[in-house]
């Protein structure tokens, strides 16, 4: 796909390249108040849509997100030209590299996997609204829709699968989060009321070392991953029979099996987490077969149906379920950090405890899974 901002070589060139992605995203010197986003959003519209009559601009605030504030601005009732304004959550720069996010957005856009990006502003982004419905836990288990999700994930994973690839970001991210938990939160974690259901810092260090040792041996390929594929980050457009992924804050090179395992964990939902909704082996194998067929077609130039062997399928199933542990660990640490800083109304501490609990519950189960030689 030509030179990519994320490919190892031209990274320092400051974006651009990548098969037609426009490297020149305007940067506007506007900051939007996180506590009151509408005035700032309307100010951005005067810059981005100067022909819109300010009095006629309608806004819709989305309340699903638990990292950022999101508002849609439009004038047409049918929302034909709608601009999304995303305001970064407080202190999210601790775990999101905004420059990398911007580059990844452009890479995905150039490959037809992301909406148009209109501008960056001091504490956020403006981009095209994708028509369709944001999925819920009921949609992602519908075989018709989950095949589309598997195919779209293969499309993202295939973006640079043919070149030399950087290291997976997983270990660096986990170390960073754990360091933040240790430095920022040690007084809080040692508070007796938080101690319940909370593993000690020594235990977390031990688990991270164990995961790195175990998971990095599994042979999962490193690909461009979304890394945060919860239901609401998937938009299903019925008219085109296609799904698209949104929100690329955590996008980066990572293990293929992590991205899939992370998505399977998200079948349980976010606001009301229910791990009985984690996909059964049968559902997973159907999903993984669709994924592998699409991935092989895209990366190996297979025309029509690419054959997927039972061995490949079983190996991916084992890798995915083992990597789902790393996803629990990552978002548990993330929840602890968000609990300290976020102004979003969500019980991050409860969420962190739930993810740690599920990690320790699933560890013996997935450790017993073996890839047949």
């Amino acid at each position: 796909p030509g030179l990519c901002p994320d490919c190892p070589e031209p990274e320092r060139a400051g974006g651009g390249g990548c098969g037609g992605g426009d490297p020149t995203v305007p940067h506007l010197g506007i900051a939007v108040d996180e506590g009151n986003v509408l005035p700032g959003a309307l100010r951005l519209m005067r810059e981005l849509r100067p022909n819109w009559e300010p009095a006629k601009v309608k806004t819709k605030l989305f309340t699903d997100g638990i990292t950022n504030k999101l508002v849609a601005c439009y004038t047409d009732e049918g929302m034909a030209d709608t601009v999304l304004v995303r305001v970064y959550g407080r202190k999210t720069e601790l775990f999101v590299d905004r420059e990398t996010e911007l580059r990844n957005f452009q890479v995905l856009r150039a490959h037809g996997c992301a909406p148009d990006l209109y501008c960056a502003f001091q504490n956020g982004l403006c981009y095209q609204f994708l028509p369709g419905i944001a999925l819920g836990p009921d949609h992602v288990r519908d075989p018709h829709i989950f095949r589309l999700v598997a195919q779209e994930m293969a499309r993202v994973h295939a973006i640079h699968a043919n070149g030399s690839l950087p290291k997976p970001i997983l270990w660096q991210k986990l170390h960073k989060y754990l360091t933040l938990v240790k430095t920022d939160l040690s007084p809080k974690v040692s508070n007796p009321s938080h101690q319940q259901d909370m593993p000690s810092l020594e235990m977390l260090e031990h688990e991270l070392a164990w995961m790195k040792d175990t998971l990095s041996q599994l042979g999962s390929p490193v690909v461009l991953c979304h890394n945060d594929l919860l239901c609401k980050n998937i938009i299903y457009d019925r008219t085109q029979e296609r799904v698209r992924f949104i929100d690329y804050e955590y996008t980066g090179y990572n293990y293929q099996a992590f991205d899939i395992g992370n998505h399977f964990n998200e079948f349980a939902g976010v606001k009301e987490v229910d791990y009985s909704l984690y996909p059964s082996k049968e559902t997973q194998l159907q999903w993984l077969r669709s994924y592998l067929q699409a991935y092989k077609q895209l990366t190996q130039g297979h025309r029509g149906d690419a054959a997927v062997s039972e061995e490949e399928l079983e190996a991916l199933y084992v890798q995915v379920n083992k990597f789902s542990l790393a996803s629990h660990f990552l978002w548990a640490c993330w929840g602890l950090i968000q609990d300290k800083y976020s102004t979003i109304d969500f019980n991050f501490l409860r969420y962190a405890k739930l993810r740690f609990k599920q990690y320790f519950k699933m560890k013996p189960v997935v450790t017993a899974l073996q890839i047949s030689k």
Side-chain angles (χ1 to χ4, degrees), residues 247-271:
D247 287 2
Y248 317 112
E249 297 184 293
Y250 303 98
T251 297
Y253 286 98
N254 209 348
Y255 297 102
Q256 174 191 54
F258 174 88
D259 214 14
I260 302 171
N262 183 70
H263 174 59
F264 287 171
N265 282 340
E266 297 295 349
F267 276 48
V270 176
K271 295 273 163 84

